[in-house]
Amino acid sequence: MKNVIGLILAGGQGTRLGVLTEKIPKPAVQFGGKYRIIDFTLSNCVNSGIYRIGVLTQYRPHLLNKHIGIGKPWDLDRKGGGVTILQPYSTLTESVWYKGTADAVYQNIEFIEEYDPEYIVVLSGDHIYSMDYSEFVYYHISKGALATIACMEVPLSEAHRFGIMITDIDNKIIDFQEKPREPKSNLASLGIYVFTWEFIKQVLIDDAKDEKSDHDFGKNVIPKILSTEKVYAYPFEGYWQDVGTIQSYWETNLELVRPIPPFNLHDPNWRIYTRSEEMQPAYVSESGEVRNSIISEGCEIYGYVENSVISQGVLIGEGSVIKNSVIMTKVEIGSNVIIEDSIIAENTIIKDGCKIGVGKFAESKYDKKVYNSDITVIGMDSILEENCSLGKNVVVGNDRIVPKATQIESGGFFM
Amino acid sequence: MKVLGLILAGGKSDALGKLVFKRASAALPVFGKYRAIDFTLSNMVNSGIYKVGVLTQYNPRSLMDHLGSGKEWDLDRKHGGLYILQPYLGMTGEYWYRGTADALFQNTTMLRRGDEDYVLIGSGDHIYKVLYNDMFSYHFAKGADVTLMVKELDETYDVKDYGVVVTEADGRIKEIHEKVQNPPSRKAFLGVYFINKYLLLDLLYDTVPAGKYDLLLDVIIPNLDKLRVYAYEFNGYWRNIKKGINEYYKTNMEVVNNRKIREELFLKHGKVYTKLKDYPPAKYTGTARVSNSMIADGCIISGAVRNSVIFRGVVVRAGARVENSIIMQDSVIEEGAVVRNAIIDKNCVVRAEQVLVGDFEPVVLEKWMVI
């Protein structure tokens, strides 16, 4: 795959993840006990033999930059290639942000040209899936296509959330509907593209001049080239998830603890690589008990854990009960704490006797669009002092200190 | 001040039996994901020593595989970094390392080259966490020629298995007794030397060509009256797993049973670095019953595990029972099997319903065995 460049779009905020993406971009959010969401796409690239990668960042990139670094954990610290972080930059005449996905690639034409590639693979940094991009590229070549879009069949009832492709018998795309009310097919675009570079370069240059365009691949570029050029759909049949909402983020995490999970982290032929902190193996004490859960290294478990994903270096004190929850790195949970149906972000401290996620669902008083399920979310670097009680669908911001014995009813918030 | 680190990792240990048939004792896996040498190597790096030579001889393959380019210890460097020093064939003859002093003597080029003034010599078999910088300060404050690290052993150690030192009030060593029946003190030498490089070269040229090959017995002890040899006391947790299978087993169990020791070894004085394997986090299914155990990444636990150390990638199937045992990387304990007081080496399979139980001594299953 020497003639292929991977471009990972990692600039999006992911507004529907609420406090989880207030301080960090969506691709940097932790997932599955030790990973960050971008690890899946990055590992797919490396496992597919793509070693020339640009990561396009924009929204609060610091943690993401630190995570990727020079790409050592992915074997991307190489001569002639490797991973390059592409941030928006200013020039003599102007300084602009990336206006859309297509514009982000357009602004980095120089970077791409330096490698003189034949094909580029445009990827999103916020999906959970394994895909062999080399098969994807060979498919593109064998079809003689100028653009190929990875697509997946989704339930018809879900189709309105996606860009829907209508194809002929040869998988050539003949029509396209963006988030349609009445979908004509159930073949959804995954936002993953292969382009022949010479072709798409010109399209991007033209698009940049078009003032009416939003400079977005899905919205502008693809519909534009569909009518005139050879654009194919690549039918992908594996597991793919866009963890775009709090509900789907939580569900996708908890799917991993099923007896036979739909996504296999243990596949020795398709390892997911990450920059993880060096930590000792997990310890489960005499008083501790773990059922149906994922426990990462560095954890010390003195309480009861069921149906949960526990990330690296988490401490769970004696008498505490954790159920149906996602607990991120280095969270400290004291004794006799109850946590149910919750997401607790990195480095948060939950002191003794707190109860989180108790009671019945109530509509969010903070933001109904983002917080609309049973799940209680606590942001990173926060502290819950002793004996706080939080209901369901509660949100606590980042860097907050919730005073002792605070009561927050279901649907409430602490910002 | 620049310090060159040297780790002696070539010795053979008969006491470890099957565990070292195919590996050096410094490469012996411990505590779920580490190898013994990780501790001394990490101690050196955490103390700011970025040029480290590892002297190997006996069964070095797994040790070399583990160390690689030294990436995990930040020793893949332009200047300094990791050096593997193996015995070699030369114009003047072919010799294995005939002893610790001889091993150093055969690598005098490594000593002479480079701009380090001091040498820290450690052993690859010792489990402890320390920052050596305190020892360096002590060395200079005492105006010492050589400083040895020592520890007052409590009753959990059989002191006649160790070399002990007798010191004057200010810490200067008067006598050293190597493994004697009635040792005159409980202050054991921990195999760590700190010495000026040029002094070491002088001492080596004075002894090794005369056919004396041991660093402690032939170089240090005969010179106790001439050199200012001082004892730096280390008070933390320390074990030498080379002492035998029981010592190895006991050390692992101590780490499981004692939170304080875990905190000292893994959280104090910097981290312990080891080769990363990119396993996913461990998974516990609905039938898992785990208590008082260490479980590394990549495991899938469906059975019962008690008082045990489970290494990376181990699978314990439903109905299997693992107690008081050490299960190394990628081994599989199948349905209904019982493993008690056992050390199971890498890539073993205990078939369904099989029973493997050790008595006074843990039973050891060699690498790649299937029972």
Side-chain angles (χ1 to χ4, degrees):
Chain A
M1 295 276 106
K2 274 215 153 178
N3 50 359
V4 180
I5 287 194
L7 294 171
I8 303 178
L9 305 171
Q13 181 189 354
T15 45
R16 284 173 307 154
L17 284 176
V19 289
L20 297 179
T21 52
E22 220 173 79
K23 278 170 90 174
I24 55 174
K26 187 170 152 194
V29 173
Q30 290 197 335
F31 184 87
K34 69 188 281 196
Y35 307 100
R36 296 191 186 274
I37 293 172
I38 198 171
D39 291 340
F40 295 84
T41 307
L42 263 180
S43 302
N44 284 343
C45 282
V46 174
N47 287 334
S48 308
I50 297 174
Y51 291 111
R52 295 169 167 183
I53 299 166
V55 178
L56 291 84
T57 61
Q58 174 152 290
Y59 177 80
R60 288 185 174 253
H62 303 107
L63 184 66
L64 195 60
N65 291 355
K66 190 177 151 208
H67 181 67
I68 294 170
I70 56 166
K72 224 171 171 177
W74 300 269
D75 262 345
L76 286 170
D77 53 334
R78 333 169 43 98
K79 279 187 179 166
V83 61
T84 310
I85 306 264
L86 302 169
Q87 280 187 251
Y89 54 88
S90 60
T91 64
L92 267 182
T93 50
E94 56 175 356
S95 53
V96 283
W97 298 105
Y98 294 151
K99 283 170 276 188
T101 50
D103 183 54
V105 176
Y106 167 75
Q107 290 200 38
N108 288 295
I109 284 181
E110 251 175 74
F111 163 81
I112 300 164
E113 286 280 86
E114 215 161 282
Y115 289 115
D116 191 23
E118 282 179 65
Y119 308 100
I120 63 169
V121 185
V122 177
L123 306 160
S124 162
D126 41 21
H127 299 157
I128 306 293
Y129 67 117
S130 319
M131 185 193 280
D132 190 339
Y133 301 138
S134 65
E135 281 177 25
F136 187 22
V137 172
Y138 287 127
Y139 178 88
H140 174 85
I141 297 170
S142 71
K143 291 285 179 192
L146 293 170
T148 305
I149 304 169
C151 296
M152 193 175 74
E153 284 185 19
V154 295
L156 214 52
S157 58
E158 294 277 297
H160 64 92
R161 289 173 41 217
F162 295 89
I164 293 297
M165 304 291 154
I166 297 103
T167 57
D168 67 10
I169 196 154
D170 190 35
N171 284 335
K172 186 170 180 294
I173 301 173
I174 46 176
D175 201 2
F176 166 85
Q177 297 174 294
E178 177 72 16
K179 298 186 180 161
R181 282 231 186 107
E182 284 166 21
K184 283 195 256 177
S185 109
N186 64 345
L187 203 58
S189 161
L190 303 181
I192 303 167
Y193 312 99
V194 181
F195 296 114
T196 301
W197 175 238
E198 280 309 316
F199 160 74
I200 200 67
K201 187 171 78 178
Q202 198 51 52
V203 174
L204 290 174
I205 292 170
D206 295 343
D207 179 72
K209 289 180 195 145
D210 183 353
E211 277 174 15
K212 272 183 246 151
S213 168
D214 289 331
H215 310 293
D216 187 88
F217 276 111
K219 236 189 268 170
N220 312 106
V221 175
I222 300 299
K224 207 182 288 175
I225 58 177
L226 257 185
S227 47
T228 53
E229 309 293 346
K230 276 185 165 180
V231 180
Y232 277 81
Y234 172 70
F236 176 68
E237 280 166 357
Y239 178 85
W240 179 94
Q241 272 295 338
D242 176 7
V243 287
T245 64
I246 296 217
Q247 173 89 16
S248 74
Y249 171 82
W250 179 81
E251 269 173 17
T252 310
N253 264 290
L254 291 197
E255 267 176 7
L256 295 171
V257 308
R258 281 200 212 148
I260 296 170
F263 186 79
N264 183 11
L265 287 173
H266 287 257
D267 185 350
N269 299 318
W270 205 269
R271 282 255 181 262
I272 312 299
Y273 303 99
T274 185
R275 180 184 302 275
S276 57
E277 246 185 274
E278 191 69 53
M279 289 198 190
Q280 73 278 13
Y283 173 76
V284 181
S285 78
E286 200 85 53
S287 60
E289 204 172 332
V290 181
R291 301 273 165 87
N292 257 336
S293 294
I294 278 178
I295 312 272
S296 308
E297 290 189 331
C299 290
E300 294 257 329
I301 313 285
Y302 296 91
Y304 178 80
V305 181
E306 188 184 302
N307 208 31
S308 296
V309 174
I310 315 288
S311 306
Q312 285 191 310
V314 171
L315 174 74
I316 298 177
E318 224 165 300
S320 293
V321 177
I322 318 291
K323 280 184 186 169
N324 310 324
S325 295
V326 179
I327 314 286
M328 297 193 206
T329 296
K330 288 186 184 165
V331 168
E332 270 181 51
I333 298 171
S335 319
N336 304 313
V337 170
I338 295 175
I339 300 178
E340 271 182 53
D341 304 332
S342 297
I343 300 169
I344 319 264
E346 298 167 56
N347 304 324
T348 284
I349 298 171
I350 314 279
K351 295 204 174 155
D352 297 353
C354 285
K355 290 185 175 56
I356 300 171
V358 290
K360 283 214 168 86
F361 171 81
E363 216 163 61
S364 179
K365 296 178 191 100
Y366 183 66
D367 186 345
K368 267 181 258 179
K369 256 194 200 147
V370 175
Y371 307 99
N372 47 22
S373 64
D374 277 355
I375 301 154
T376 287
V377 185
I378 298 177
M380 49 172 36
D381 306 307
S382 292
I383 299 172
L384 262 69
E385 299 283 4
E386 284 88 350
N387 303 318
C388 289
S389 173
L390 278 58
K392 283 200 165 22
N393 199 21
V394 171
V395 53
V396 175
N398 297 296
D399 303 301
R400 297 285 168 265
I401 297 174
V402 184
K404 259 187 197 174
T406 305
Q407 307 269 338
I408 304 174
E409 281 172 25
S410 294
F413 61 93
F414 189 98
M415 287 312 225
Chain B
M1 179 193 74
K2 286 192 178 171
V3 179
L4 168 71
L6 290 173
I7 300 178
L8 303 169
K12 193 178 161 196
S13 162
D14 296 323
L16 285 167
K18 286 180 193 168
L19 292 174
V20 291
F21 278 2
K22 283 182 183 145
R23 61 165 76 89
S25 55
L28 200 55
V30 288
F31 316 137
K33 69 183 285 198
Y34 304 99
R35 290 186 190 258
I37 197 172
D38 291 341
F39 287 85
T40 297
L41 201 51
S42 301
N43 284 340
M44 286 190 175
V45 171
N46 289 334
S47 305
I49 301 172
Y50 282 104
K51 186 171 179 182
V52 179
V54 177
L55 293 104
T56 63
Q57 171 155 293
Y58 173 77
N59 266 344
R61 189 209 61 82
S62 57
L63 186 61
M64 309 264 270
D65 175 42
H66 180 66
L67 296 174
S69 63
K71 209 174 175 177
E72 327 288 356
W73 297 269
D74 261 345
L75 287 173
D76 54 335
R77 302 171 75 89
K78 240 178 178 171
H79 302 290
L82 181 72
Y83 293 77
I84 307 276
L85 304 170
Q86 280 197 262
Y88 53 88
L89 196 62
M91 282 300 280
T92 52
E94 45 185 286
Y95 301 108
W96 293 105
Y97 294 155
R98 288 162 291 188
T100 44
D102 185 40
L104 297 173
F105 185 71
Q106 292 195 38
N107 289 294
T108 45
T109 323
M110 171 91 185
L111 288 172
R112 257 185 269 116
R113 284 197 184 161
D115 54 357
E116 299 80 17
D117 298 313
Y118 292 90
V119 184
L120 178 76
I121 301 168
S123 160
D125 310 313
H126 299 169
I127 307 293
Y128 66 112
K129 275 293 279 301
V130 76
L131 293 178
Y132 297 113
N133 310 69
D134 262 2
M135 183 180 173
F136 302 162
S137 314
Y138 175 90
H139 179 86
F140 298 120
K142 293 288 179 188
D145 294 317
V146 185
T147 298
L148 305 183
M149 193 187 261
V150 303
K151 176 181 164 66
E152 185 85 28
L153 297 185
D154 60 29
E155 60 293 339
T156 62
Y157 301 81
D158 192 350
V159 77
K160 63 177 187 297
D161 292 342
Y162 299 84
V164 298
V165 303
V166 180
T167 58
E168 287 170 8
D170 75 331
R172 182 163 173 184
I173 298 176
K174 282 194 303 190
E175 302 160 25
I176 301 178
H177 301 270
E178 177 71 348
K179 296 174 191 163
V180 291
Q181 266 310 316
N182 294 305
S185 92
R186 292 192 72 90
K187 224 172 245 179
F189 171 45
L190 304 186
V192 180
Y193 308 77
F194 185 61
I195 184 171
N196 181 290
K197 187 170 84 176
Y198 301 99
L199 175 62
L200 176 65
L201 277 168
D202 281 357
L203 292 170
L204 289 174
Y205 274 100
D206 195 34
T207 48
V208 178
K212 296 175 188 161
Y213 300 130
D214 193 87
L215 187 59
L216 184 66
L217 300 177
D218 302 323
V219 178
I220 303 295
I221 293 179
N223 287 311
L224 277 180
D225 50 341
K226 281 175 246 145
L227 298 174
R228 290 167 62 83
V229 182
Y230 273 80
Y232 170 78
E233 244 182 274
F234 171 71
N235 297 317
Y237 180 81
W238 181 90
R239 289 280 178 201
N240 179 1
I241 52 146
K242 209 178 172 183
K243 292 287 172 207
I245 290 178
N246 267 334
E247 188 77 5
Y248 168 78
Y249 177 78
K250 198 173 82 185
T251 305
N252 275 282
M253 290 306 150
E254 269 173 353
V255 169
V256 169
N257 290 326
N258 194 326
R259 187 175 180 176
K260 280 222 174 79
I261 295 176
R262 273 204 307 282
E263 279 171 356
E264 181 182 336
L265 285 182
F266 302 128
L267 305 176
K268 254 196 202 167
H269 302 316
K271 300 205 154 162
V272 190
Y273 301 98
T274 190
K275 188 177 176 183
L276 292 174
K277 299 273 189 190
D278 297 300
Y279 280 104
K283 185 172 169 178
Y284 302 59
T285 70
T287 52
R289 301 283 179 276
V290 178
S291 90
N292 192 40
S293 296
M294 287 178 83
I295 314 266
D297 272 359
C299 292
I300 300 177
I301 310 288
S302 313
V305 178
R306 283 197 68 196
N307 309 331
S308 296
V309 177
I310 311 292
F311 280 71
R312 292 184 282 202
V314 166
V315 178
V316 179
R317 299 244 161 87
R321 284 211 329 263
V322 177
E323 276 175 38
N324 309 325
S325 295
I326 299 167
I327 318 283
M328 293 190 205
Q329 198 177 303
D330 293 331
S331 284
V332 180
I333 314 298
E334 290 188 348
E335 289 82 355
V338 176
V339 175
R340 200 179 300 136
N341 297 340
I343 300 172
I344 296 185
D345 212 320
K346 288 180 167 189
N347 301 92
C348 286
V349 181
V350 179
R351 290 268 183 240
E353 320 258 330
Q354 289 295 324
V355 177
L356 186 73
V357 176
D359 309 326
F360 304 110
E361 265 224 343
V363 53
V364 179
L365 207 58
E366 251 180 277
K367 266 189 197 180
W368 296 104
M369 293 274 277
V370 178
I371 66 158

